[in-house]
Amino acid sequence: MQNTLPIRRVAVLGAGVMGAQIAAHCANCGLDTVLLELPAEGNDPDARAREAVQQLAGMRPAPLATAGCADRIHAASYDTGLPLLAGCDLVIEAIAERDDLKAALYQRVVPHLADHALFASNTSGLSIDGLATHLPEMVRNRFCGVHFFNPPRYMALVELIPGSATDGSVLDGLETFLTSVLGKDVVRANDTPNFIGNRVGLFSLMASVWHGRRLGLSPDLVDALTGPLIGRPKSGTYRTADVVGLDTMVHVVEGPVPRLQHDPWVRCLQLPDWIHELIAQGRLGAKSGAGVYRKGADGIEVYDPELGDYRAQAAQVSPAVQEVLAIAEPAERWRRLREMEDDQARFLWAVHRELFLYAAWTLAEIAPSAAEVDRALRNGFAWREGPFEIWQSIGWQTVAEWLREDEEGIADVELPGWVRQVSAVHGPEGSWSASENRWRARSDLPVYRRQAFPSRLRGEPAAQSGAVCAETAAVRLWHRDPEVGILSFLSKGNSCSQAVLDGIQELLERAEREYRGLVIWQPSGHFSVGADLKAVLAAARAGDQPAIERFIRGFQQAGQAIRDVRIPVVAAVRGMALGGGCELLLHCDRAVVHQEANIGLVEAAVGVIPAGRGCTMLAARAQRAGPGRRPADVAQAYFRTLSAARRSTSALEARDLGLLPECSQIVAHRDELLHVAETQARAAAESGYVPPAFGRIRAQGRDLLRKLVQELELGHEQGRLSDHDLAIGTRSATAICGGDVAPDSLLPETHFMDLELEGFLALAAMPATQDRIEHMLRTGKPLRN
């Protein structure tokens, strides 16, 4: 991958909510980060900036991957910290959306910028060329817009907006950095008001408000109709406004109106009077405890403009509309919905009609092609499909004809002429550019060659899937590179069923003959959600202990086979790697892990202990504690992680918890995992790979076991642990410590494996464990019993 702009140190100007979170995400990605803020009053001018960093720890969702990431942020004021900018390669301005404030700040910081440094504004919609007028000529070619979506750690979208003077190599290098180092999905937007995501996304939200009012639909009914039923987040419309903050919504919706007077739909960019009244009363949404919604004595209440007060939620999507929305074929679904007389159906078609018209009308102005619009709505607003994808799925010219037939709408406009020229906007040649009147292919920047299977828009051709080497009923062995095999599961959630465990052992033998290295990677979904709990529960309820023992022995054998195979095995992990999935991960030589992976040995949540060699692996790792760490302390930390069924909220946290192979690499972009894992497998093979040989493990023994059991008993006496928690914890402690043996006893691995199995079988026979498993399968949530 070429990166003509190596960025090692980043500065963020402005320590407000957005600026501090951008700094946090940069720190999560391993960058030395400077965060500057206005000076505080008194003798400590840096206090405000430091306080902003301290507040990150209490924010939810958490901006920091681990608490330690805050140590990479150097917080200072503009009075003391401007000299730090000389060592920064990228400076991101993230202050209030006021041109005068930005202009004043630019004049102050520009003298401190390095000659090579890129300068960017995180503006959500101000003109980049307008902001560039406040910069000297020599800086304008390296100035652009970089618009992160909130919250920056979790939202994939970043809009990259060039000014008329921005150098093309600056944009290419910055796109490479944002993609590979910060893990973002970059969309290039034109320098127009609100760019792409906010321009179309906020319009769609306001179209829902407009037509909901026109048809007399209550806010909770509008939300019910504009959420998951149509492929959008469960927050819908008004609840989204509450989450954002009603006062903020007024700013982002109504603030750009003066710059959008050319837009035929501008009259709908006005929030209802009753929302302004709520704001005047201090009811600003979730941050103030009340907005459109609030928590009442009997549950969540919604503000009813007709009543002028709150009432219990009562919205119900009509059965007829639900029935039509359940139709799988888009053309038939939308044809029937459009023909219905039901007000709810009329609302849904009206909202989508406005969306289709608006997307078509604005395309030439706001985006290089239709791809950027659809990707912006997918990644910035969490829509399942973008507006052009929905349109194309129904039938391009069918929808175009419907739009010509329907006259009722917010704006009196006709479809632009380019709509008649095409039969789709996404296809083998790329996506349609209305401004250039041609197809535009995907970016050919080298960074995108690292993405093995990037997400595709509807209508785009699928990526090459590779060649299958061998396959069982539940596991596939295939490759893209003839030297590196890929092992993928075919089970639901990539869970570890008996068939998966058998398939792993069978295909590992084939992989050893065919390849120099192997990657365990799942083309879709999670790495693995763990063991097949349905099978375990069925056997436990039937009292079939031999079946459970066969399953656990199969788990242990599969883990040992991964460790013992004579080629390096690399796990490529995204999503969840829980329970048995985490155990398989621990047996791999290396791991390449997505930054946001969710990893944990969570068996205690379903009433058992890790028995697929999980406890055995942790016992072995404890004896290899690094300098300055006592093996007993490491084993105790592992025990506490197991007892709490703790799972990481990031790959960095998983590494801190000891839940990753000792040789692991964290990757920011999920689509780069396979490429990096294949590279790691080849590198390990080239270095003369030899499988690890544990053989025997030095047990912590009865001294630590006694200490851990006392810890459990104290928690039980204090009411923090139930009787069943005590039983689970005791079995976990026994397996990790090696049982009631003398400390430092050198024991075979099979001793620890037998303790795991014994503990699992004993716990699985208990009704309380069976109830936990059943509850988890039914609700997806743990049961405390």
Side-chain angles (χ1 to χ4, degrees):
M1 177 187 67
Q2 284 185 315
N3 185 349
T4 56
L5 299 169
I7 296 172
R8 300 178 182 87
R9 198 177 200 211
V10 174
V12 179
L13 309 179
V17 172
M18 196 65 180
Q21 289 192 82
I22 293 172
H25 185 65
C26 291
N28 292 340
C29 296
L31 294 162
D32 185 20
T33 305
V34 173
L35 178 63
L36 301 185
E37 178 55 289
L38 293 169
E41 296 180 2
N43 297 326
D44 184 3
D46 299 342
R48 290 181 64 175
R50 281 202 310 275
E51 183 180 349
V53 175
Q54 292 165 0
Q55 289 174 346
L56 291 170
M59 294 177 66
R60 294 294 179 269
L64 293 168
T66 66
C69 290
D71 296 339
R72 296 196 186 104
I73 304 176
H74 186 136
S77 70
Y78 297 122
D79 284 356
T80 64
L82 286 178
L84 296 171
L85 299 182
C88 295
D89 308 300
L90 170 64
V91 178
I92 302 171
E93 169 267 304
I95 67 170
E97 292 286 83
R98 281 180 47 184
D99 186 81
D100 58 333
L101 295 180
K102 292 181 188 289
L105 180 62
Y106 293 2
Q107 296 302 309
R108 191 172 184 186
V109 303
V110 163
H112 298 274
L113 297 178
D115 291 342
H116 72 283
L118 308 187
F119 190 37
S121 174
N122 182 56
T123 176
S124 59
L126 295 180
S127 168
I128 301 304
D129 272 344
L131 294 175
T133 62
H134 306 305
L135 295 169
E137 197 74 34
M138 64 179 183
V139 177
R140 294 179 188 176
N141 68 331
R142 45 195 168 101
F143 175 72
C144 63
V146 176
H147 179 212
F148 289 82
F149 275 63
N150 193 24
R153 174 183 169 188
Y154 301 97
M155 297 304 292
L157 180 65
V158 168
E159 291 177 320
L160 184 59
I161 310 101
S164 56
T166 310
D167 190 284
S169 64
V170 167
L171 295 170
D172 291 348
L174 197 48
E175 183 168 350
T176 296
F177 167 79
L178 291 166
T179 300
S180 200
V181 179
L182 297 191
K184 296 304 177 184
D185 290 329
V186 178
V187 165
R188 294 205 188 187
N190 295 340
D191 185 12
T192 56
N194 281 10
F195 311 130
I196 299 173
N198 283 346
R199 180 77 174 272
V200 180
L202 291 177
F203 163 77
S204 183
L205 183 145
M206 292 308 300
S208 298
V209 171
W210 177 281
H211 285 291
R213 296 170 68 194
R214 178 177 66 85
L215 292 166
L217 306 186
S218 64
D220 52 337
L221 182 53
V222 168
D223 282 352
L225 289 166
T226 55
L229 274 177
I230 59 170
R232 299 186 190 178
K234 62 182 180 181
S235 53
T237 298
Y238 287 99
R239 196 180 295 276
T240 295
D242 263 5
V243 171
V244 172
L246 298 186
D247 53 339
T248 303
M249 281 299 297
V250 170
H251 169 74
V252 298
V253 171
E254 300 180 4
V257 166
R259 292 177 284 120
L260 288 170
Q261 290 305 308
H262 68 289
D263 190 323
W265 283 266
V266 70
R267 68 191 182 109
C268 83
L269 300 180
Q270 174 69 45
L271 288 163
D273 291 341
W274 60 269
I275 286 186
H276 285 276
E277 292 169 5
L278 289 176
I279 294 170
Q281 296 165 13
R283 299 173 180 179
L284 307 179
K287 62 187 175 184
S288 67
V292 179
Y293 293 88
R294 74 176 183 186
K295 188 173 182 179
D298 299 319
I300 301 299
E301 298 175 337
V302 61
Y303 187 82
D304 190 328
E306 297 297 318
L307 297 175
D309 201 355
Y310 291 90
R311 59 163 172 77
Q313 290 187 90
Q316 294 289 331
V317 178
S318 73
V321 168
Q322 291 191 54
E323 180 183 347
V324 171
L325 288 174
I327 297 172
E329 208 286 309
E332 177 64 13
R333 179 170 69 247
W334 283 100
R335 181 191 65 78
R336 288 186 51 184
L337 199 71
R338 179 172 175 264
E339 293 173 353
M340 291 177 69
E341 294 298 324
D342 185 297
D343 276 351
Q344 295 182 20
R346 292 170 59 204
F347 166 79
L348 285 173
W349 170 242
V351 167
H352 281 79
R353 180 187 64 221
E354 301 289 358
L355 174 63
F356 296 150
L357 275 170
Y358 196 76
W361 191 86
T362 58
L363 177 58
E365 176 191 355
I366 66 175
S369 79
E372 286 77 17
V373 176
D374 283 344
R375 288 172 55 209
L377 272 297
R378 274 187 176 202
N379 296 321
F381 283 76
W383 290 12
R384 186 168 59 234
E385 291 188 305
F388 290 116
E389 290 183 282
I390 301 170
W391 183 342
Q392 185 165 322
S393 74
I394 301 169
W396 186 260
Q397 290 302 336
T398 296
V399 171
E401 188 57 34
W402 290 349
L403 297 178
R404 294 185 192 101
E405 291 174 0
D406 292 356
E407 297 180 355
E408 184 180 14
I410 298 172
D412 182 17
V413 297
E414 294 184 357
L415 278 172
W418 69 263
V419 172
R420 297 178 183 271
Q421 295 178 238
V422 298
S423 58
V425 289
H426 305 305
E429 299 173 80
S431 297
W432 187 255
S433 172
S435 58
E436 299 174 11
N437 204 38
R438 67 176 181 90
W439 296 96
R440 282 178 62 103
R442 279 191 170 229
S443 171
D444 61 357
L445 283 177
V447 68
Y448 293 115
R449 297 172 201 161
R450 297 166 57 87
Q451 297 186 6
F453 295 93
S455 59
R456 297 282 170 172
L457 299 172
R458 181 185 286 268
E460 285 189 307
Q464 293 295 319
S465 58
V468 175
C469 173
E471 187 171 297
T472 71
V475 181
R476 176 177 296 142
L477 180 64
W478 57 289
H479 65 264
R480 301 190 310 150
D481 176 340
E483 289 194 335
V484 180
I486 304 169
L487 196 69
S488 301
F489 304 164
L490 307 177
S491 53
K492 183 179 180 181
N494 300 314
S495 61
C496 299
S497 63
Q498 186 68 60
V500 166
L501 299 173
D502 292 342
I504 289 172
Q505 295 181 70
E506 179 182 339
L507 294 187
L508 279 174
E509 295 179 6
R510 180 70 177 268
E512 191 176 65
R513 296 194 303 269
E514 300 284 342
Y515 302 109
R516 299 184 65 205
L518 181 69
V519 173
I520 301 179
W521 180 76
Q522 315 302 352
S524 62
H526 304 292
F527 180 78
S528 175
V529 295
D532 181 358
L533 290 178
K534 285 185 180 179
V536 172
L537 179 61
R541 292 285 197 210
D544 191 351
Q545 292 282 83
I548 299 175
E549 181 172 356
R550 285 193 300 274
F551 181 62
I552 296 302
R553 288 299 188 196
F555 238 121
Q556 293 178 341
Q557 290 160 6
Q560 184 150 354
I562 291 171
R563 195 197 69 179
D564 291 346
V565 68
R566 290 176 293 179
I567 58 174
V569 180
V570 180
V573 182
R574 62 181 170 189
M576 296 181 186
L578 302 180
C582 181
E583 290 181 286
L584 293 181
L585 163 64
L586 285 170
H587 284 85
C588 295
D589 301 289
R590 303 184 179 197
V592 176
V593 188
H594 182 227
Q595 191 167 264
E596 298 300 328
N598 190 223
I599 298 169
L601 292 169
V602 295
E603 284 84 352
V606 290
V608 292
I609 65 172
R613 290 176 49 91
C615 292
T616 301
M617 291 293 289
L618 294 183
R621 293 181 73 168
Q623 79 175 29
R624 301 194 303 277
R629 303 186 71 197
R630 294 175 60 245
D633 294 339
V634 176
Q636 183 175 28
Y638 286 152
F639 160 75
R640 289 172 175 168
T641 297
L642 297 190
S643 296
R646 185 175 174 184
R647 59 185 188 181
S648 74
T649 57
S650 70
L652 286 171
E653 186 180 21
R655 187 169 63 189
D656 290 348
L657 293 172
L659 297 177
L660 296 182
E662 289 162 348
C663 184
S664 296
Q665 182 172 349
I666 295 172
V667 171
H669 201 292
R670 63 191 181 280
D671 292 336
E672 293 188 0
L673 280 173
L674 182 55
H675 166 81
V676 177
E678 289 171 325
T679 302
Q680 290 285 316
R682 283 192 295 270
E686 288 289 338
S687 65
Y689 175 76
V690 177
F694 297 152
R696 295 161 74 81
I697 300 173
R698 197 171 297 280
Q700 300 304 314
R702 63 175 64 97
D703 288 354
L704 180 60
L705 176 58
R706 189 180 301 116
K707 180 179 179 181
L708 298 182
V709 171
Q710 289 173 350
E711 185 176 306
L712 289 167
E713 290 173 343
L714 178 62
H716 183 254
E717 290 172 7
Q718 293 174 343
R720 292 183 287 106
L721 301 178
S722 68
D723 292 346
H724 198 46
D725 291 330
L726 178 61
I728 298 163
T730 301
R731 290 290 184 174
S732 174
T734 301
I736 286 180
C737 294
D740 187 12
V741 298
D744 291 332
S745 297
L746 199 58
L747 303 171
E749 288 185 11
T750 53
H751 172 83
F752 291 83
M753 292 161 62
D754 289 343
L755 289 174
E756 287 181 342
L757 174 62
E758 179 186 328
F760 193 100
L761 290 173
L763 292 166
M766 297 180 181
T769 286
Q770 295 164 20
D771 290 345
R772 285 195 181 193
I773 296 175
E774 185 175 21
H775 188 270
M776 179 66 75
L777 289 171
R778 188 176 68 253
T779 68
K781 298 177 181 179
L783 172 67
R784 176 75 187 278
N785 62 346

